Amino acid sequence: MESVGSLVGSPWIYAVVALSVLLDVFLPVLPSGVLVITAATAAAASTAAYVPDMLVLTLCAATASVLGDLVAYRLAWRGGARLDRALARSRRLRGAQERLGAALARGGGGLVVLARFAPAGRSVVSLGAGAARHRARDFLPWSALAGLSWAGYSVALGYFGGQWLGATWLAAAVSVGALFAAGAGAGYLVRKPQPREAG
């Protein structure tokens, strides 16, 4: 925690967080959420003025999330037949793409926000939206809301963990556990079959 605390005190933390969040749309195994929470925990428990740090950290993570979504969306848009074949081979990706298409068509992009919290949900949604050639104006506002919600939630977890338990690994572990619990709940809701509309 001390080494993370020293990183939090330098501008490099924002670059590291931004790069991690930007890339985890392609490599969902990157612990970007854990990094954001740990940085917020260390910043909250420090004696420095932490409010600007929290604000910048939230905006940095949210902006990197939206940029990552946009890059994945554009790559999938240009991916052509090869990406379509890859999506067609996966029942899970195909189902997610169909649900996303239906949600965006009726203006219910809440699925984009929910998927941001689910494991690999961001990847599936961003690539699926691009591969299905959904309009950017339908997808990007929801991506921005998703990125801001996720970043705000992650930073808040770290902040309150740091305030209540101090800059300890226990505080970070409790906060990360809460993030994983939200991800598990979001994953369940994303996979849950939607009731068919009458008529």
Side-chain angles (χ1 to χ4, degrees):
M1 190 59 74
E2 288 80 6
S3 60
V4 174
S6 63
L7 182 61
V8 168
S10 78
W12 286 108
I13 187 61
Y14 305 117
V16 172
V17 164
L19 189 61
S20 175
V21 173
L22 183 70
L23 293 178
D24 84 354
V25 70
F26 303 105
L27 301 167
V29 295
L30 284 178
S32 61
V34 175
L35 180 61
V36 171
I37 286 174
T38 306
T41 301
S46 84
T47 56
Y50 53 80
V51 175
D53 292 337
M54 296 297 163
L55 224 52
V56 174
L57 186 62
T58 302
L59 293 175
C60 180
T63 302
S65 178
V66 176
L67 288 176
D69 289 354
L70 181 59
V71 170
Y73 170 86
R74 292 304 298 169
L75 287 175
W77 181 287
R78 295 168 186 248
R82 175 185 286 179
L83 185 59
D84 288 339
R85 286 195 298 271
L87 287 171
R89 282 196 299 269
S90 170
R91 188 178 56 162
R92 185 175 173 187
L93 288 174
R94 195 170 59 247
Q97 185 179 7
E98 289 168 0
R99 286 195 299 276
L100 174 66
L104 290 176
R106 36 172 213 270
L111 176 65
V112 177
V113 178
L114 194 60
R116 182 61 183 89
F117 290 83
R122 175 189 179 201
S123 305
V124 170
V125 165
S126 299
L127 293 169
R133 297 182 179 263
H134 294 296
R135 295 177 303 180
R137 68 183 184 187
D138 291 335
F139 172 69
L140 284 180
W142 291 105
S143 170
L145 180 59
L148 191 57
S149 301
W150 173 83
Y153 179 71
S154 301
V155 170
L157 285 176
Y159 171 77
F160 287 115
Q163 288 291 302
W164 292 334
L165 300 172
T168 64
W169 286 113
L170 176 62
V174 169
S175 299
V176 168
L179 182 66
F180 286 162
Y188 170 77
L189 292 173
V190 167
R191 290 190 300 269
K192 186 178 177 182
Q194 299 298 313
R196 294 184 182 275
E197 294 180 5

